[in-house]
Amino acid sequence: MSFDYDLFVIGAGSGGVRAARFAASYGAKVAVAEERYLGGTCVNVGCVPKKLFVYASQFHEEFNLAKGFGWHLGDIGFNWQTLVENKNKEIARLNGIYKKLLTNSGVTLCEGHAIIVNAHTVMVDGKSYTAKNILIAVGGWPQIPDIKGREHAITSNEAFYLKELPKRCTIVGGGYIAVEFASIFNGLGVETTLVYRGELFLRGFDDDVRNHLAEELTKKGIKLKFNTDIVQIDKQSSGTLVTTFNNSEVDETDLVFYATGRHPKLDNLGLENTKIVLNSKGFIDVDKYYETAEPGVFAIGDVVGQIQLTPVALAQGMAVARYLFKPEDYRALDLTQVATAMFSLPNVATVGLTEQQAIEKGYDVQIFDESFRALKLTLTDCTEKMYMKLIVDKTSDKVLGCHMVGEGAGELIQCLAIALKAGATKKVFDETIGVHPTAAEEFVTMRTPRD
Ligand SMILES: Cc1cc2nc3c(=O)[nH]c(=O)nc-3n(C[C@H](O)[C@H](O)[C@H](O)COP(=O)(O)OP(=O)(O)OC[C@H]3O[C@@H](n4cnc5c(N)ncnc54)[C@H](O)[C@@H]3O)c2cc1C
Ligand SMILES: NC(=O)c1ccc[n+]([C@@H]2O[C@H](COP(=O)([O-])OP(=O)(O)OC[C@H]3O[C@@H](n4cnc5c(N)ncnc54)[C@H](O)[C@@H]3O)[C@@H](O)[C@H]2O)c1
């Protein structure tokens, strides 16, 4: 049977573009459908604009620190509209680059919403295309819980395009987006409250890291309200928002921002025309080759809900392209020891197991940790402390996990991830000569385990 394409990819985000380009480079005939924006979440309303906003929010603190080093600053001011306009220009430039990347690799771009008609047919805006294989890379979409007044709240999608910076902001959630945006808004001078329904935010991160970050964010003026949830939002005639909490407390704010997770974007995708099954969390179920229950239909990225990070979607995209079109180069993906960073101020970065996970897995753990004031702060009145922690298996001496809270943690963790992937022991860390004076050298100079 002949088909229009060897591979039809739905979604030109991180995973979809990578899979399409790799497949085309292996000689496959490839098409990609995209309904909204080239580059997907990461480029348009995720990693990239978020990091630009993080940079913007850091300057305020840097200006204050500069005084200790003899700098006198004149009037400082911040213009939100300039930041958003410049960010939009950069995103438009990246959209253009993504288009070129696809077309230069020989991939056909179909702009519009794709619906799967059957295991070998996709319809985009009324036009049908046949394909030997289909790859679903449609990503996710933010969700707001079903509370009264939810229509007055925004999500990260809208946060990148706010017309004005609010004076006060209440962020709901205890994950990456909530914590990153709390830092962004706080850094830009917004009175920021973070509301989280659990005991302590960042579930799944190391407990010492969670506690350390909570202390540092509080020192920076972010109001943390744990064990709290909003039950109702009322908009006042003045435009302000009144939030009622589950403990009956009431607060007033200018913006309510929900960062309560993302669900897979499956609406009107035509999954009912296939044998595809969803797992208990609503993500597409795939086997180890990312093939769904419908033979020839694959799924990668946020829509399979394994680890919702861009580099993971990229790696999955490459794995599928190799599996289908260059099997001799195929190697199974190893999603253990994936490093991750949260670009809060200060950053949190982590690779490997937390102390709690290592204990649960039955390791006899040794903990090395240190909390200290960075050299950069010694001429200033900033009391921020860095935190570094190593989890070591006493029996094999292998380093099981590295965790850090502090400036540059997001940059530093990548190299520690290589060490862990290579199976480094604590002895290897100890025998590595430090780089002085840096904060990073602490990772190779922690000698005495915690009691
Ligand atoms: C605010 C925020 C910050 C983030 N920061 C980071 C970070 O710092 N580091 C990191 O690693 N990850 C970060 N992430 C996560 C990262 O963006 C995602 O993991 C990644 O984009 C997932 O890639 P994907 O290919 O699965 O989907 P996406 O990038 O979401 O791409 C899916 C594409 O499919 C299109 N689409 C959907 N349905 C259809 C259809 N039926 N027809 C046609 N097209 C369709 C969408 O329009 C979209 O362009 C962040 C996410 C958010 C929301
Ligand atoms: N720096 C990064 O790498 C980065 C940054 C942003 C996002 N991301 C990715 O995007 C994903 C989505 O981010 P996110 O922060 O939206 O999700 P998340 O899953 O990290 O956090 C969601 C938070 O919302 C809470 N929550 C869920 N339902 C709720 C409800 N009904 N009421 C109150 N709270 C509720 C959860 O307890 C959790 O704390 C992340 O899991 C991450 O993989 C990564």
Side-chain angles (χ1 to χ4, degrees), residues 170-179 182 193-198 201-202 224-226 228-229 257-261:
T170 300
I171 301 181
V172 186
Y176 284 81
I177 296 178
V179 174
T193 303
L194 186 147
V195 173
Y196 176 54
R197 62 183 176 180
F201 57 15
L202 297 180
L224 300 178
K225 276 177 181 275
F226 295 147
T228 309
D229 218 349
F257 177 159
Y258 269 83
T260 44

Side-chain angles (χ1 to χ4, degrees), residues 3 47 144 150 206 401:
F3 299 99
C47 335
I144 300 184
R150 71 199 282 276
D206 189 274

Side-chain angles (χ1 to χ4, degrees), residues 143-201:
Q143 55 180 8
I144 300 184
D146 194 15
I147 57 148
K148 215 168 154 213
R150 71 199 282 276
E151 66 279 11
H152 303 306
I154 66 152
T155 68
S156 51
N157 283 349
E158 296 74 42
F160 289 110
Y161 296 95
L162 288 176
K163 294 236 162 359
E164 278 176 30
L165 190 64
K167 277 204 172 66
R168 300 164 296 183
C169 169
T170 300
I171 301 181
V172 186
Y176 284 81
I177 296 178
V179 174
E180 288 183 336
F181 269 92
S183 284
I184 290 169
F185 281 126
N186 183 58
L188 296 177
V190 177
E191 244 177 72
T192 306
T193 303
L194 186 147
V195 173
Y196 176 54
R197 62 183 176 180
E199 228 14 73
L200 183 62
F201 57 15

